Amino acid sequence: MTFKSWGTRLAAALLASATLVSVAACGSSSTSDNSAKADPNAIISVNNTEPESPLVPADTNEMGGSRIIRYLFEGLVSFDARGKQHMEVAKSITANPEATQYTIKLNDGWKFTNGEPVTAQSFAKAWSYAANVKHAEKQSSRMSVIKGYDELQKPGAADDAQLSGLQVPDDHTLIVTLNSPDSVFPTQISHQSFFPLPSVAYKDMKTFGKNPIGNGPYKFKSWTPNKNITVVKNPDYKGYRKVKNGGIEYRVYSSPDAAYSDVESGSLDLLMDVPQSEVKTFRTDSTIHAYSRPGSYYQGFIIPEWAQHFGFNKEGILRRQAISMAIDRGQIVDKVFSNTKTVATDFTSPGVPEHQKNLKGTANLKHNAAKAKELWKQADAISPYNEKFSLAYPSDGGHKPWVDAVCNQLKNTLGIQAVGDAYPTFSDLLNRVTDRTIQTPFFSGWSLDYPSAEDYMTPLYASESADGHGSNDGDYKNPEFDQALLKAKSQLDPAKRTADFNAAQEILLNDLPAIPLWCNNVSAVSSPKLKNVDFDYTNLPTYNTITK
């Protein structure tokens, strides 16, 4: 099986759900006015959050850093705004019949911005470094599909040990042997954790991350903490994502309202997250261009397995289902968000071809106050609940209105004390989640990395991604789910793979390790002077296409 034919089928399935809708106050799209010649050297200013850590691809799992990393580096493959696959550093990717080994041939001529050639070893060493437990990289579990990962997770592994499943016969060939069949692997390697690194990175990874050297469409220029990060066009970039501007300035905002005001005044070019205070009016604001379409950014909240009364036993699962059914998602999406969200019907999003609306267990995501009360009463018969239900969230992201709405619904339906627990910043909350000191349910969000249901399942719910090895922040572990997921990944036939993903999802819909709420639509605004503004299947702007 070659990757090109597989990727074409996937792209076709995505087209129906990835059509962009642009809504402009003056009745025109931002791409329609091309009377003024674009300045190819213009720097485009966009909103962002301060990255939690240095810009190291496999050590970043939050959007403030990922938005930048995705444009500083290029991988073996990429997916464009519509979900169509493009070969980048890879010339070809060929699987054996069992999908347990892939032979990857590399294109010649790719270089890092310091002039070092990008070779097969640039990938093999980066992947091995990420897999090594001694380096404690946040995306380490992404490498668990490769043979030798378990050995590198042992404390005694050498600092420079390499994954045994990687062979580099020459500079342009990388042979990857997996632990088990994985038909999604050619898609997974578009994720940033699989980006290559130059040899200088290994001298001091943290220092490198503060002044990263990549091979992507942009190159790093400067970083002023809590103010901005600027990247400029990489003239030597060889890939699909051609740059039409001079660079991107990622400005740090703690308040989305301040960012919106800056777009209105013309001092900020693009805001990708419309603040709650503007969701009712942004589509008719005559001072800006507005963009709206269904999206893939998942939001919900995690009830960690160690939260009292919410373990994965009979009582805990009854309570999880009751909590979920007590929430009227449609009402909140309408009243709080003015329909700029899409109500969750499963654990994925409309951005993937495997998205489902009628699985066994979908009823657990539908509002049913009577059933919620009944389940809560059954759980109380096992062990009475006299706690305060606190829902933690970052106060710098405009989350308070929906958290208050959810808590009011829980209070009114279940008769419990439910309150929001605001943390000053996203980083403050993430630190408590990362070190597992948080004891309450907490907000969770996930931006799609590549167009497959697997990207929601493995990172967020697989046992291998728990205990700090990935983004399974509630430490959910269910061997039955792991086996169902493994079966789906081993299927080469897309229809059978989807059926097996559905079976895995039905386990999640019963257990509810997280409570899915909705998926964010693209809800963005820009200055009218911007042209060629587009958004990809992950809800992010295609920064390289924007001009002014």
Side-chain angles (χ1 to χ4, degrees):
M1 178 189 69
T2 62
F3 182 30
K4 288 187 177 180
S5 63
W6 185 88
T8 300
R9 291 197 300 271
L10 175 59
L14 279 168
L15 288 177
S17 63
T19 303
L20 176 69
V21 177
S22 178
V23 181
C26 55
S28 64
S29 166
S30 71
T31 61
S32 62
D33 180 10
N34 292 303
S35 57
K37 186 176 180 180
D39 178 3
N41 298 313
I43 301 296
I44 310 299
S45 58
V46 302
N47 73 301
N48 202 40
T49 55
E50 179 71 9
E52 181 197 8
S53 55
L55 300 175
V56 177
D59 197 32
T60 300
N61 64 355
E62 44 80 32
M63 290 308 299
S66 294
R67 288 168 181 157
I68 303 166
I69 286 171
R70 286 176 55 178
Y71 282 83
L72 289 176
F73 294 84
E74 191 63 273
L76 293 163
V77 300
S78 70
F79 286 88
D80 65 20
R82 302 298 173 260
K84 181 181 179 181
Q85 170 260 320
H86 295 272
M87 306 302 278
E88 299 288 4
V89 182
K91 185 176 183 179
S92 65
I93 302 175
T94 305
N96 66 359
E98 297 79 22
T100 57
Q101 187 177 84
Y102 290 84
T103 299
I104 304 171
K105 294 290 185 178
L106 272 56
N107 283 305
D108 197 10
W110 280 80
K111 293 182 179 181
F112 293 102
T113 54
N114 65 351
E116 179 183 328
V118 178
T119 67
Q121 191 63 43
S122 304
F123 290 93
K125 191 170 183 179
W127 299 0
S128 295
Y129 185 94
N132 195 313
V133 68
K134 288 187 176 180
H135 305 139
E137 296 212 319
K138 299 180 183 71
Q139 299 280 7
S140 172
S141 64
R142 296 278 183 174
M143 305 302 150
S144 63
V145 298
I146 302 173
K147 185 178 180 181
Y149 174 80
D150 290 342
E151 285 74 16
L152 294 194
Q153 284 290 295
K154 296 177 181 178
D159 188 67
D160 60 351
Q162 300 296 291
L163 285 162
S164 61
L166 299 179
Q167 295 174 266
V168 184
D170 57 63
D171 283 350
H172 297 93
T173 306
L174 177 63
I175 300 174
V176 186
T177 302
L178 307 181
N179 284 314
S180 58
D182 190 348
S183 61
V184 188
F185 183 73
T187 301
Q188 293 170 320
I189 54 177
S190 65
H191 186 263
Q192 68 183 47
S193 59
F194 291 94
F195 288 161
L197 292 176
S199 56
V200 67
Y202 305 101
K203 294 180 180 179
D204 187 331
M205 195 61 73
K206 288 186 177 180
T207 298
F208 169 81
K210 295 176 182 178
N211 191 4
I213 296 167
N215 64 322
Y218 294 93
K219 60 181 180 179
F220 179 83
K221 181 181 179 182
S222 64
W223 184 350
T224 303
N226 297 305
K227 183 179 180 182
N228 63 11
I229 293 176
T230 301
V231 300
V232 295
K233 180 179 179 179
N234 176 10
D236 299 320
Y237 174 68
K238 295 176 63 66
Y240 171 79
R241 297 183 292 167
K242 305 302 182 185
V243 175
K244 297 182 179 180
N245 51 57
I248 306 294
E249 179 195 1
Y250 297 87
R251 292 185 190 167
V252 176
Y253 283 88
S254 59
S255 165
D257 293 285
Y260 190 92
S261 295
D262 281 356
V263 174
E264 288 184 306
S265 69
S267 58
L268 179 68
D269 291 326
L270 176 65
L271 169 65
M272 68 190 77
D273 310 297
V274 173
Q276 183 58 40
S277 59
E278 305 291 343
V279 295
K280 295 181 184 297
T281 60
F282 82 100
R283 283 165 288 201
T284 57
D285 187 336
S286 62
T287 65
I288 50 89
H289 276 296
Y291 311 88
S292 180
R293 59 154 250 209
S296 63
Y297 183 73
Y298 155 89
Q299 284 192 332
F301 60 90
I302 291 172
I303 306 178
E305 63 87 20
W306 59 87
Q308 193 172 5
H309 294 282
F310 286 97
F312 290 104
N313 50 28
K314 185 175 181 179
E315 180 201 354
I317 290 177
L318 285 170
R319 293 200 188 281
R320 290 168 185 269
Q321 293 177 357
I323 291 288
S324 183
M325 291 184 193
I327 300 170
D328 189 338
R329 294 162 177 80
Q331 184 184 70
I332 296 174
V333 164
D334 180 26
K335 302 300 183 183
V336 177
F337 294 118
S338 295
N339 295 306
T340 57
K341 314 281 184 185
T342 300
V343 171
T345 60
D346 70 354
F347 277 78
T348 69
S349 78
V352 298
E354 303 94 344
H355 177 59
Q356 302 294 328
K357 295 183 178 180
N358 295 296
L359 293 174
K360 179 183 177 181
T362 297
N364 287 337
L365 303 187
K366 295 180 179 179
H367 182 231
N368 188 335
K371 183 69 172 179
K373 292 176 182 178
E374 177 187 336
L375 295 178
W376 195 259
K377 184 177 180 180
Q378 291 178 26
D380 274 345
I382 298 172
S383 177
Y385 187 87
N386 299 310
E387 315 296 326
K388 179 171 67 175
F389 187 93
S390 296
L391 177 52
Y393 67 96
S395 60
D396 61 348
H399 298 289
K400 187 178 188 301
W402 73 258
V403 170
D404 287 347
V406 165
C407 289
N408 283 335
Q409 289 181 349
L410 295 179
K411 186 187 308 179
N412 293 335
T413 299
L414 302 178
I416 61 175
Q417 185 181 4
V419 297
D421 182 12
Y423 283 68
T425 68
F426 175 73
S427 292
D428 292 327
L429 175 58
L430 189 59
N431 288 338
R432 289 288 304 277
V433 171
T434 300
D435 64 19
R436 301 299 193 264
T437 56
I438 194 165
Q439 300 297 317
T440 66
F442 53 87
F443 160 80
S444 67
W446 186 255
S447 179
L448 187 64
D449 297 302
Y450 44 81
S452 171
E454 185 275 337
D455 186 52
Y456 292 99
M457 296 190 193
T458 301
L460 298 178
Y461 308 111
S463 296
E464 67 198 45
S465 302
D467 302 323
H469 297 297
S471 298
N472 183 352
D473 292 328
D475 291 339
Y476 172 68
K477 299 172 188 174
N478 184 334
E480 184 184 0
F481 169 76
D482 292 338
Q483 286 302 310
L485 180 57
L486 184 63
K487 183 180 178 184
K489 291 165 66 175
S490 69
Q491 291 285 3
L492 296 177
D493 182 274
K496 292 180 179 178
R497 183 167 53 245
T498 295
D500 287 336
F501 275 138
N502 290 347
Q505 281 221 72
E506 288 174 354
I507 296 171
L508 296 179
L509 286 165
N510 178 75
D511 292 355
L512 295 175
I515 308 298
L517 294 176
W518 40 71
C519 292
N520 287 12
N521 294 354
V522 170
S523 299
V525 295
S526 75
S527 163
K529 64 187 175 183
L530 285 198
K531 309 293 185 293
N532 303 307
V533 178
D534 201 352
F535 298 83
D536 65 20
Y537 62 91
T538 72
N539 286 26
L540 291 182
T542 54
Y543 297 117
N544 57 296
T545 67
I546 302 172
T547 60
K548 70 175 179 179

